[in-house]
Amino acid sequence: MAFSDIPSVYDPKKVEEKWYKFWEENEFFRAKIEPEKEPFTIVIPPPNVTGNLHLGHALNNTIQDILIRYKRMKGYPTLWLPGTDHAGIATEAKVKEQLAEEGLSKYDLGREKFLERVWAWKEKYGNTIVNQLKKLGASCDWSRFRFTLDEGLSRAVREVFVRLYEKGLIYRGDYIVNWCPTCKTTLSDIEVEHEERQDKLYYVKYPFSDGSGHITVATTRPETILGDTAVAVNPADERYRAYIGKTVILPLVGREIPVIADEYVDMQFGTGAVKITPGHDPNDFEIGLRHGLPIIKVMDEEGRMNESAGKFKGQDRYECRKAMVEELKEKDFMAKIEDLTHSVGKCYRCDTVVEPMVSKQWFVRMKPLAEPAIEVVKQGKVQFVPERFTKIYINWLENIHDWCISRQLWWGHRIPAWYCQDCGETIVSRETPAKCTKCGGTSLEQDPDVLDTWFSSALWPFSTLGWPDQTEDLDYFYPTTVLVTGYDIIFFWVARMIFMAMEFMKKEPFKYVAITGLVRDAQGRKMSKSLGNGIDPLEVIEKYGADTLRFALCTGNTPGNDIRFSWEKAEHSRNFANKIWNASRFVMMNLEDFEPGEVEIDKLSLKDRWILSRLNDVTRDVTEFLERFEVGMAAQKVYDFFWSEFCDWYIEMAKIDLYGEDESAKMRTKQVLYTVLERVLRLLHPFMPFITEEIWQHLPHEGRSIMVSAWPEYRPDWQFEDAVNMQLLMDAVRGIRNIRAEMNVPPSKKAKAVVRTGDAKTHELLRQNIEIIKALAKVSEADFIPEGNPAPGKAMSCVIRGAEIFIPMEGLVDLEAEVARLQKEKSDLEKEIASVRKKLSNHNFLAKAPKDVVEKEKQKEKDYLDILKRIEARLKILSGGS
């Protein structure tokens, strides 16, 4: 490419698709096994096949891509393994929505035909998010793409299930589910719709069995009193501390139940004491597990009271409620009844209020699996970044309950268990059994349920690499290096991957867990449809390009913390992309007749040594931050260097030589400009891959792509000791610029400078580099005077290390007009000061005004006095004083 081909304006739409296609065609993303090298591996947190790219995905995958691109440039064999999750609940719901539009249900089709429809939906829509990740610039090895329901992963799931079952770590037991009494089926959480309803809150007295009084509980469902097995209070609630351990008599039933303490109890709800019905409430079920409470079911599958309901047997649940309320009133158990507005779950199909009910489910026994998973983190073999999440992880695993892994769905990994209809035997097998292993009967029925989606996801780091086969990929790329994920799924996914890996691989699944936060709006609020504050990442890409979105998500990002995102932030990143383009274009337009080579250190000027030294510092800092997964700090370092030091300072200083007569200075400056630009593009590449590739391809270069070029290394020979002297020149330029701004000197007018120095070194440094000060501070001439000489008249000054610089105002501004302006400003300011002082001397104001208002007035007085002092000093100078 020739320099003349460079468009004047950067257009991401013309660039991004072109370069992504180029990278894919050249197989730059494909991981290669190089036995003599240590690999760097990331497995993608698999997005749902139902998903679309949202800002959380964009953040997470941008961080992964930055790390992968960085390590690839460092020379590591890198594998970023992509894939998607079948997302049982969400995908099944999508297809059922389609069927509903046709007036059908999944039961009308039957299991096989329904699953055909789901696979068809997956083939059509399941890769939407994959294509969107490509738009983001994700450099995944797409040749190794996996899906949680593909044959290899399904085999791994069956293998794990069977091995855990044979080891006694998978069993079948009771668990609470959402039950629709009308449809007579369990419902997943996503199938339960919630709506606000007007209801009643019933306050019921439970008498102590020792006759010492009663405790009052509040409930919306009196009919479930029949299944109560405890009353619970919060252990921190002073009102009930003395009651913990006592027993009460269940109203209308006469059964004795304990008063227990549990932190789940909300002290603000009702009386702060609640009834516990493990058989008919999911939260009570969990409390029951914690406290070993019995489970009593008082309803059948049609929502009618069963034999455990005694005389209420056969009544509909609402009929029972009505009858019980009347009897509780009659027998003086009802303390009071209040109106209540609360959320009620109902069946999405028929609007029936859902009944939580205990049923048979499959579980994983967690205690034996949790222990190695705790140990591997305590030993530091798996490290959380930031470290504070270690405590959260360990605390959860130390208090873990058995994991319910069965789901009443059709889409997913079907549980590999068959029930003999002749003898009742349960057969768990890798393959479909032909006959019963106990009685030899052939009447076998497979369990209709599927496994929790997280079960297959828990195997992701090793199942994706070919396990249970001992593949080359598994041998080389496992354990993976880092997992990048949100703090919201540490329990759902991270912990499960670790305990499954320790059980089946006997080795941790990754060395680091880099935790990301949520993406919030500019005000720190969670993005949601109801608030209307969401930003579509694809809209940002469409408007400004993928690099802009990526960089905006990086800046301000620290591990484990939420970040704020706004259109304004996106615009700032777009401006940075434009700055990169314009600065690069300027450099390239000045590289005609230039052959790149090594900079000749002994011929460099101070400004050259300074910019190379600063580039060296930034290279070291960015590398260190990326090694610690601090991508936000790394991005900020390279941003500050490029925008401020390279563009605002070095390029402006370089123009002196580029437009001068000294040919050797011109060539030296071109060499430094090229060297800095080319290296900083490589530092920027992981963050902004598209624009850096486009510019790099226009520059003289070796290799086919910037993404496989070498990461810049720190160079000891570029750490010049005298580079710090550049700071003195920059201070001088800033000081003169401030004087010009304060005194409203028109940009077109060049100033004269008088430099008074106190030591020979400073004098020589400023004299040798005076052309830089002249060019950047708009100074026409500079005189040097020794310390002790009087200051020039009517001159503003600034002080820098070892020198004072005076700018005579005569001829630069209309002195009379400036004096008049300053006098008016002084007069206005004196009135403001008088007003503030009057307020502060008013005892009534001081006594009644809030403390922060009084402090604000005091600060106002201080600020006004500081400004007045500066105005008076200027007036003295401009009036001829010294």
Side-chain angles (χ1 to χ4, degrees), residues 825-826 829-830 832-834 836-837 840 854-872 874:
E825 203 174 318
K826 181 188 174 194
L829 208 51
E830 285 169 339
E832 292 291 342
I833 291 167
V836 171
R837 283 179 169 168
L840 289 173
V854 175
E855 288 303 316
K856 205 176 279 183
E857 290 299 316
K858 286 180 180 177
Q859 187 60 45
K860 203 185 283 184
E861 180 190 29
K862 186 174 178 293
D863 293 343
Y864 285 161
L865 286 169
D866 286 345
I867 297 167
L868 181 64
K869 191 177 176 183
R870 290 204 300 274
I871 289 172
E872 286 174 340
R874 282 189 222 162

Coordinates of all heavy atoms in Angstrom, one line a residue, residues 825-826 829-830 832-834 836-837 840 854-872 874:
E825 N -13.7 43.6 36.8 CA -13.7 42.2 37.4 C -13.4 42.3 38.9 O -14.1 41.6 39.7 CB -12.7 41.3 36.7 CG -13.0 39.8 36.8 CD -12.0 39.0 36.0 OE1 -11.7 39.3 34.8 OE2 -11.6 37.9 36.5
K826 N -12.5 43.2 39.2 CA -12.1 43.4 40.6 C -13.3 43.9 41.4 O -13.7 43.5 42.5 CB -10.9 44.3 40.7 CG -10.5 44.5 42.2 CD -9.4 45.6 42.3 CE -9.1 45.9 43.7 NZ -8.3 47.2 43.9
L829 N -16.0 41.4 41.9 CA -15.6 40.4 42.9 C -15.7 40.9 44.3 O -16.1 40.2 45.2 CB -14.1 40.0 42.5 CG -13.7 38.6 42.9 CD1 -14.6 37.5 42.4 CD2 -12.3 38.4 42.3
E830 N -15.3 42.2 44.5 CA -15.4 42.8 45.8 C -16.8 42.8 46.3 O -17.1 42.6 47.5 CB -14.8 44.2 45.8 CG -13.3 44.2 45.7 CD -12.6 45.5 45.4 OE1 -13.3 46.4 44.9 OE2 -11.4 45.7 45.7
E832 N -19.1 40.6 45.5 CA -19.5 39.2 45.8 C -18.9 38.9 47.2 O -19.5 38.2 48.0 CB -18.9 38.3 44.8 CG -19.6 38.4 43.4 CD -21.0 37.8 43.5 OE1 -21.4 37.1 44.4 OE2 -21.8 38.2 42.5
I833 N -17.6 39.3 47.5 CA -17.0 39.1 48.7 C -17.8 39.7 49.9 O -18.0 39.1 50.9 CB -15.5 39.5 48.7 CG1 -14.7 38.6 47.8 CG2 -14.9 39.5 50.1 CD1 -13.3 39.2 47.4
A834 N -18.2 41.0 49.6 CA -18.9 41.7 50.7 C -20.3 41.0 51.0 O -20.7 40.8 52.2 CB -19.2 43.1 50.2
V836 N -20.9 37.7 50.6 CA -20.6 36.5 51.3 C -20.3 36.8 52.8 O -20.8 36.1 53.7 CB -19.5 35.7 50.7 CG1 -19.0 34.5 51.5 CG2 -19.9 35.2 49.3
R837 N -19.5 37.8 53.0 CA -19.1 38.1 54.4 C -20.3 38.6 55.2 O -20.3 38.3 56.4 CB -18.0 39.2 54.3 CG -16.6 38.6 54.0 CD -15.6 39.7 53.9 NE -14.3 39.0 53.8 CZ -13.1 39.7 53.5 NH1 -13.2 41.0 53.3 NH2 -12.0 39.0 53.4
L840 N -22.0 35.5 56.3 CA -21.2 34.8 57.3 C -21.1 35.5 58.6 O -20.8 34.9 59.6 CB -19.8 34.5 56.8 CG -19.7 33.4 55.6 CD1 -18.3 33.3 55.1 CD2 -20.1 32.0 56.1
V854 N -23.2 26.3 55.1 CA -22.2 27.3 55.7 C -20.8 27.1 55.2 O -20.1 28.0 54.8 CB -22.3 27.2 57.2 CG1 -21.2 28.0 57.9 CG2 -23.7 27.5 57.8
E855 N -20.4 25.8 55.1 CA -19.1 25.5 54.6 C -18.9 25.9 53.1 O -17.8 26.3 52.7 CB -18.8 23.9 54.7 CG -18.6 23.4 56.1 CD -17.5 24.2 56.8 OE1 -16.4 24.3 56.2 OE2 -17.6 24.5 58.0
K856 N -20.0 25.8 52.4 CA -19.9 26.2 51.0 C -19.7 27.7 50.9 O -18.9 28.2 50.0 CB -21.3 25.8 50.3 CG -21.1 25.6 48.8 CD -22.4 25.1 48.2 CE -22.6 23.6 48.4 NZ -23.9 23.2 47.7
E857 N -20.3 28.5 51.7 CA -20.1 29.9 51.7 C -18.7 30.3 52.1 O -18.1 31.2 51.6 CB -21.2 30.6 52.6 CG -22.6 30.5 52.2 CD -22.8 31.2 50.8 OE1 -22.3 32.3 50.6 OE2 -23.5 30.6 49.9
K858 N -18.2 29.6 53.1 CA -16.8 29.8 53.5 C -15.8 29.5 52.4 O -14.8 30.3 52.2 CB -16.5 29.0 54.8 CG -17.1 29.5 56.1 CD -16.7 28.6 57.2 CE -17.4 29.1 58.5 NZ -17.1 28.2 59.7
Q859 N -16.0 28.4 51.7 CA -15.2 28.1 50.6 C -15.3 29.1 49.5 O -14.3 29.5 48.8 CB -15.5 26.7 50.1 CG -14.6 26.1 49.0 CD -13.2 26.0 49.5 OE1 -12.9 25.5 50.5 NE2 -12.2 26.4 48.7
K860 N -16.5 29.6 49.3 CA -16.7 30.6 48.2 C -15.9 31.9 48.6 O -15.3 32.5 47.7 CB -18.2 31.0 48.2 CG -18.7 31.6 46.9 CD -20.2 32.0 47.0 CE -21.1 30.8 46.9 NZ -22.5 31.3 46.8
E861 N -15.9 32.3 49.8 CA -15.1 33.5 50.3 C -13.6 33.3 50.0 O -13.0 34.1 49.4 CB -15.4 33.8 51.7 CG -14.6 35.0 52.2 CD -14.6 35.1 53.8 OE1 -14.7 34.1 54.5 OE2 -14.4 36.2 54.2
K862 N -13.2 32.1 50.3 CA -11.7 31.7 50.1 C -11.4 31.8 48.6 O -10.3 32.4 48.2 CB -11.5 30.4 50.7 CG -10.0 29.9 50.7 CD -9.8 28.6 51.4 CE -8.4 28.1 51.4 NZ -7.9 27.7 50.0
D863 N -12.2 31.2 47.8 CA -12.0 31.2 46.3 C -12.0 32.6 45.7 O -11.1 32.9 44.9 CB -13.0 30.3 45.6 CG -12.9 28.8 46.0 OD1 -11.9 28.4 46.5 OD2 -13.9 28.1 45.7
Y864 N -13.0 33.4 46.2 CA -13.1 34.8 45.7 C -11.8 35.6 46.1 O -11.3 36.4 45.3 CB -14.3 35.5 46.3 CG -15.6 35.0 45.6 CD1 -16.8 35.3 46.3 CD2 -15.7 34.4 44.4 CE1 -18.0 34.9 45.7 CE2 -16.9 34.0 43.8 CZ -18.0 34.2 44.5 OH -19.3 33.9 44.0
L865 N -11.3 35.4 47.3 CA -10.1 36.1 47.8 C -8.9 35.7 47.0 O -8.0 36.6 46.7 CB -9.9 35.9 49.3 CG -10.9 36.6 50.2 CD1 -10.8 36.0 51.6 CD2 -10.7 38.1 50.2
D866 N -8.8 34.4 46.6 CA -7.7 33.9 45.8 C -7.7 34.6 44.4 O -6.6 35.0 43.9 CB -7.7 32.4 45.6 CG -7.3 31.7 46.9 OD1 -6.7 32.3 47.8 OD2 -7.6 30.5 47.0
I867 N -8.9 34.7 43.8 CA -9.0 35.3 42.5 C -8.7 36.8 42.6 O -8.0 37.3 41.7 CB -10.4 35.0 41.9 CG1 -10.7 33.5 41.7 CG2 -10.6 35.8 40.6 CD1 -12.2 33.2 41.4
L868 N -9.2 37.4 43.6 CA -8.9 38.9 43.8 C -7.4 39.1 43.9 O -6.9 40.1 43.3 CB -9.7 39.4 45.1 CG -9.5 40.9 45.4 CD1 -10.1 41.7 44.3 CD2 -10.1 41.2 46.7
K869 N -6.7 38.3 44.7 CA -5.3 38.4 44.8 C -4.6 38.4 43.5 O -3.7 39.2 43.2 CB -4.8 37.3 45.8 CG -3.4 37.5 46.2 CD -3.0 36.4 47.2 CE -1.5 36.5 47.7 NZ -1.2 35.4 48.5
R870 N -5.0 37.4 42.6 CA -4.4 37.3 41.3 C -4.7 38.5 40.4 O -3.8 39.0 39.7 CB -4.8 36.0 40.6 CG -4.2 34.8 41.3 CD -4.2 33.6 40.3 NE -5.5 33.2 39.8 CZ -6.4 32.4 40.5 NH1 -6.0 31.9 41.6 NH2 -7.5 32.1 40.0
I871 N -5.9 39.0 40.5 CA -6.3 40.2 39.7 C -5.5 41.4 40.1 O -5.0 42.2 39.3 CB -7.8 40.4 39.8 CG1 -8.6 39.3 39.0 CG2 -8.2 41.8 39.2 CD1 -10.1 39.4 39.2
E872 N -5.4 41.6 41.4 CA -4.6 42.7 41.9 C -3.1 42.7 41.5 O -2.5 43.7 41.1 CB -4.7 42.8 43.4 CG -6.1 43.3 43.9 CD -6.3 43.2 45.4 OE1 -5.5 42.5 46.1 OE2 -7.2 43.9 45.9
R874 N -2.0 41.2 38.8 CA -2.0 41.6 37.3 C -2.1 43.1 37.1 O -1.4 43.6 36.3 CB -3.1 40.8 36.6 CG -2.8 39.4 36.3 CD -3.8 38.8 35.4 NE -4.2 37.4 35.9 CZ -5.3 36.8 35.5 NH1 -6.2 37.4 34.7 NH2 -5.6 35.6 35.9

